[in-house]
Amino acid sequence: METANSRNCGAELSDILGSQKENFLGKGRLCADQAKAYNDILDCRTAKMGSHTLTCDTCGKSRVSYNSCRNRHCPKCQYVRQLLWVEKLQCRLLPVRYFHVVFTIPKFLKPLFYLNQRECYGMLFAASALAVKKAASNPAFLGVDSGCLSVLHTWGQALNYHPHIHMLVPAGGPDPDNMEWIAANKKFFVPVKALSGIFRGVFMENLFHALRSNQLRIPEKQKGMYATPELVKKEAYSKSWHVYIKKTFKGTNQVVSYLGRYTHRVAISNSRIHSVENGTVKFSWKDYRDRKTKIMELPCGEFTRRFMQHVLPSGFYKIRYYGIMSSANSKTKMEDCFRLLKAPRLISFYEGLSTYEILEEILGQDPFRCPGCETGKMMYGLAEGKGTDP
């Protein structure tokens, strides 16, 4: 009997996509961004991506390595990028508690979202951030200038299409006069139902504006509803807009630990894939109804279809900062926050280091030490192909 802990370590996402290449690439079922991600994942660390040659400066030993694709949807290409981003983030986080808030959308909006990803994901980011800002600035709740770090995820554990925002909100903020840091109580500073109502109102206002200005394509099966604003409003206000307040992070270390796992995650990692055989995929997933990890089996075609739903539009930022945490306020409001908290602002450990030095710090050893003589350095020779690495 197979369990969630057993795994065929040879099975990878690229194996599954490779078996379905003709069905998806050959039949034009993918948009340009999806097709690029599909090909990049297939070609990652193969001869098609090109290669580079390293030669020892002491003994002359050579080693040829295939280049990685560096596509953000590839499960093989996120590790170093994730570590660098998290380490830099740690230096800009305020030394306070953080609330973890999750914003979701009603089911009826999902077809519209999928057809208009760039526009709808943008509205989801903006509406959730403005909802927190409005709630935090209300004197009846906290009365402070707040901010947040927002991360977009589009998948559930079973790879179903489930757009939602994970948000980290400082447990407090500077008062309107910028003279005092006001800390929130242990519980989130606004009732969940109130925050959900604000979020729904802001999002629907943005949605109606986009519909009036013909910015969105309407799903064929929903044209009747979207043609009448009253019907859209009725549907929206009859549904629950779920906002979840997760366990509070007690400090920056917990925040960084969480972000290290989730920010650069792709829809599924190779470690969750157990086997690929007889045209089916077995992978592990967490059933949140009973909090147990289980094995799901899907045909390779259906698995591929689900995975490709989560390829983001080219150039779309899935991690964004708002309010006091935005880049525009890095040298103004954030400096004031550190001052009010009487805390020093850290500088990134990797600041000023070369790529080689950073890799050595991350890996804990010199990645370019010659495996032959163990004294020389493996240096770049003449590169072949189209890619560059490390």
Side-chain angles (χ1 to χ4, degrees):
M1 180 178 177
E2 187 169 17
T3 67
N5 293 322
S6 60
R7 179 178 181 267
N8 173 7
C9 295
E12 293 188 348
L13 176 62
S14 56
D15 300 323
I16 305 165
L17 299 190
S19 71
Q20 298 299 307
K21 185 175 181 179
E22 183 59 34
N23 290 334
F24 284 84
L25 293 177
K27 295 182 179 179
R29 296 172 60 181
L30 306 176
C31 68
D33 291 332
Q34 290 174 326
K36 184 181 186 305
Y38 200 112
N39 281 314
D40 284 348
I41 295 170
L42 286 181
D43 297 341
C44 187
R45 301 181 188 178
T46 70
K48 290 184 178 180
M49 196 55 65
S51 64
H52 57 275
T53 302
L54 298 174
T55 304
C56 177
D57 60 2
T58 301
C59 69
K61 179 181 176 64
S62 293
R63 182 179 67 197
V64 177
S65 299
Y66 295 124
N67 299 324
S68 55
C69 67
R70 297 190 180 185
N71 192 297
R72 61 175 167 172
H73 302 97
C74 176
K76 296 179 182 178
C77 294
Q78 305 305 311
Y79 181 65
V80 174
R81 182 184 300 175
Q82 170 185 307
L83 289 180
L84 292 175
W85 180 83
V86 168
E87 201 280 334
K88 289 181 179 179
L89 174 68
Q90 190 170 16
C91 299
R92 64 184 292 178
L93 286 176
L94 296 167
V96 296
R97 292 184 300 116
Y98 284 83
F99 295 111
H100 178 192
V101 190
V102 181
F103 291 85
T104 66
I105 59 170
K107 186 177 180 179
F108 85 94
L109 284 173
K110 291 182 180 180
L112 184 73
F113 263 63
Y114 190 68
L115 201 58
N116 303 274
Q117 294 182 32
R118 191 180 298 275
E119 295 81 7
C120 287
Y121 294 160
M123 286 192 289
L124 180 58
F125 267 119
S128 56
L130 186 54
V132 168
K133 181 180 179 180
K134 283 176 173 285
S137 62
N138 189 330
F141 296 136
L142 194 59
V144 301
D145 190 5
S146 186
C148 60
L149 185 161
S150 300
V151 182
L152 171 70
H153 281 179
T154 62
W155 59 84
Q157 279 282 302
L159 296 184
N160 51 304
Y161 186 62
H162 175 50
H164 57 285
I165 294 286
H166 286 269
M167 181 183 290
L168 296 179
V169 184
D175 67 1
D177 297 324
N178 212 29
M179 297 295 291
E180 178 186 7
W181 177 271
I182 299 177
N185 294 324
K186 289 185 177 181
K187 291 185 178 181
F188 194 60
F189 48 78
V190 56
V192 174
K193 285 188 176 180
L195 182 61
S196 176
I198 299 171
F199 168 55
R200 179 178 59 191
V202 174
F203 182 89
M204 291 307 298
E205 182 180 348
N206 293 342
L207 177 61
F208 283 132
H209 173 74
L211 291 171
R212 286 193 300 268
S213 54
N214 296 317
Q215 297 177 24
L216 305 176
R217 292 182 293 164
I218 306 302
E220 191 67 34
K221 294 181 179 180
Q222 294 182 316
K223 284 189 174 181
M225 180 183 68
Y226 283 105
T228 309
E230 289 76 17
L231 290 179
V232 180
K233 188 173 183 179
K234 181 180 179 182
E235 185 73 14
Y237 282 83
S238 67
K239 306 296 182 185
S240 296
W241 291 58
H242 295 294
V243 177
Y244 302 95
I245 309 298
K246 301 283 190 176
K247 184 179 179 181
T248 304
F249 294 112
K250 296 181 180 179
T252 55
N253 288 337
Q254 284 191 356
V255 173
V256 169
S257 177
Y258 166 80
L259 291 174
R261 296 193 302 271
Y262 292 103
T263 51
H264 289 70
R265 176 181 285 184
V266 297
I268 190 167
S269 62
N270 284 329
S271 63
R272 286 178 56 197
I273 299 173
H274 287 244
S275 64
V276 182
E277 55 187 5
N278 301 323
T280 63
V281 185
K282 290 182 180 179
F283 64 96
S284 59
W285 69 291
K286 188 171 184 178
D287 188 342
Y288 286 103
R289 291 170 295 187
D290 58 13
R291 314 294 296 181
K292 292 182 179 179
T293 300
K294 304 175 181 179
I295 298 295
M296 180 173 289
E297 185 172 349
L298 290 176
C300 286
E302 173 60 14
F303 177 94
T304 302
R305 185 196 69 80
R306 292 191 188 189
F307 177 81
M308 297 311 298
Q309 290 181 116
H310 309 298
V311 173
L312 297 176
S314 176
F316 187 87
Y317 289 95
K318 69 174 184 177
I319 304 172
R320 301 187 182 188
Y321 306 85
Y322 293 92
I324 61 174
M325 297 184 70
S326 68
S327 297
N329 290 324
S330 177
K331 294 184 178 180
T332 53
K333 291 185 178 180
M334 281 294 279
E335 290 289 353
D336 290 336
C337 290
F338 277 101
R339 174 180 57 80
L340 294 175
L341 291 166
K342 298 179 180 179
R345 195 163 189 179
L346 304 176
I347 299 175
S348 171
F349 176 79
Y350 298 132
E351 191 78 30
L353 296 184
S354 67
T355 301
Y356 301 134
E357 291 170 329
I358 291 174
L359 286 174
E360 188 171 357
E361 287 293 335
I362 291 174
L363 299 175
Q365 59 184 7
D366 185 353
F368 296 98
R369 176 179 293 180
C370 176
C373 66
E374 297 186 348
T375 56
K377 272 190 175 293
M378 302 296 287
M379 308 296 290
Y380 277 96
L382 182 63
E384 302 173 1
K386 63 180 181 181
T388 58
D389 248 36

